[in-house]
Structures are given as C-alpha cells and as structure tokens.
C-alpha cells in the first residue's frame, strides 16, 4: 500500500541570538538562519482545514523561543527545537533542523557555519 507524505517547512527564518562558544558572542549576539522540514503522512481529507496539517507559524514560535536564551552551542538549540517538534507532531516520519550561523568569529574567510540534526521515525 502506498503512502502519501506531506512536508511542512520553515526556510531561513532569521534570528539575532546570544549563541556562541565565546563569551563575547553571548554578549554581542550573532545572526542565525533556521530551516525546518517536518514530514508526516498526508491524511488530510479536508485540505482547507488548518487543524488537519501542521501550522508553520507554530514551527516559528518554537524556534523563536529556543533561540532567545544564551547558550554555547548550536547543537543544543537544534536538539531542543527537534525535541519540541517531536512532542507536538507525534506522526512525524522525519524532522530536520538546520541552523546556520553568519560570520562565525574565528578569523577565517567564510560566510557561515552550520549544524543540522535529522530525526527518522523507526
């Protein structure tokens, strides 16, 4: 039997947050871009009803709350976002969270660094 999967995404949501390994980064903050993909079975018989899908505004609200507090590593933010989505979307087949940090402050010439976590339901 075939299954139709639906993906709801949030792409490149921009945040200015106090996240970084160095104390200066936690004081000054930095620019981050967060992308999320949540894939789940498409069982939406009423395609015009928001209750039958995942509201991407909810993904944004989760992300905004996680990106506010000071923390050292992007991995902890990505893990918290992933965990909150897993709790709210029980039928998720895959979830991917990508956090991109603009201008990491280590003296090299590069545009960004990035961390991603991907969940696969067994």
């Amino acid at each position: 039997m075939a299954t139709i999967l639906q993906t709801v995404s949030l792409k490149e949501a921009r945040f200015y947050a106090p996240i970084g390994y160095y104390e200066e980064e936690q004081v000054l903050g930095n620019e981050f871009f967060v992308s999320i993909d949540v894939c789940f079975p498409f069982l939406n018989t009423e395609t015009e009803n928001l209750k039958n899908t995942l509201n991407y505004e909810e993904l944004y609200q989760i992300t905004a709350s996680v990106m506010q507090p000071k923390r050292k590593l992007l991995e902890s933010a990505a893990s918290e976002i992933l965990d909150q989505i897993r709790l709210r979307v029980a039928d998720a087949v895959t979830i991917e969270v990508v956090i991109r940090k603009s201008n990491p402050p280590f003296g090299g010439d590069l545009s960004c660094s990035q961390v991603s976590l991907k969940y696969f339901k067994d």
Side-chain angles (χ1 to χ4, degrees), residues 46-77:
E46 178 55 53
T47 57
E48 289 295 318
N49 189 339
L50 188 56
K51 291 179 182 180
N52 292 330
T53 188
L54 174 59
N55 185 345
Y56 49 80
E57 182 179 3
E58 186 176 351
L59 295 178
Y60 183 86
Q61 290 169 350
I62 290 169
T63 305
S65 69
V66 170
M67 295 299 286
Q68 286 181 351
K70 288 183 180 181
R71 55 177 87 227
K72 289 186 177 183
L73 297 179
L74 292 177
E75 287 85 346
S76 69

Side-chain angles (χ1 to χ4, degrees), residues 28-121:
L28 298 175
N30 204 337
E31 182 180 52
F32 297 89
F33 293 89
V34 180
S35 294
I36 300 169
D37 292 313
V38 182
C39 184
F40 51 95
F42 182 75
L43 304 173
N44 194 347
T45 57
E46 178 55 53
T47 57
E48 289 295 318
N49 189 339
L50 188 56
K51 291 179 182 180
N52 292 330
T53 188
L54 174 59
N55 185 345
Y56 49 80
E57 182 179 3
E58 186 176 351
L59 295 178
Y60 183 86
Q61 290 169 350
I62 290 169
T63 305
S65 69
V66 170
M67 295 299 286
Q68 286 181 351
K70 288 183 180 181
R71 55 177 87 227
K72 289 186 177 183
L73 297 179
L74 292 177
E75 287 85 346
S76 69
S79 177
E80 188 174 334
I81 292 167
L82 183 69
D83 289 344
Q84 287 192 32
I85 294 170
R86 284 181 58 207
L87 289 173
R88 294 184 190 191
V89 188
D91 59 345
V93 176
T94 64
I95 303 168
E96 184 170 23
V97 177
V98 178
I99 303 177
R100 183 168 53 91
K101 180 179 186 177
S102 298
N103 304 311
F106 58 80
D109 185 18
L110 85 150
S111 65
C112 68
S113 57
Q114 180 173 296
V115 169
S116 65
L117 294 178
K118 191 164 189 177
Y119 162 80
F120 295 93
K121 190 172 196 172

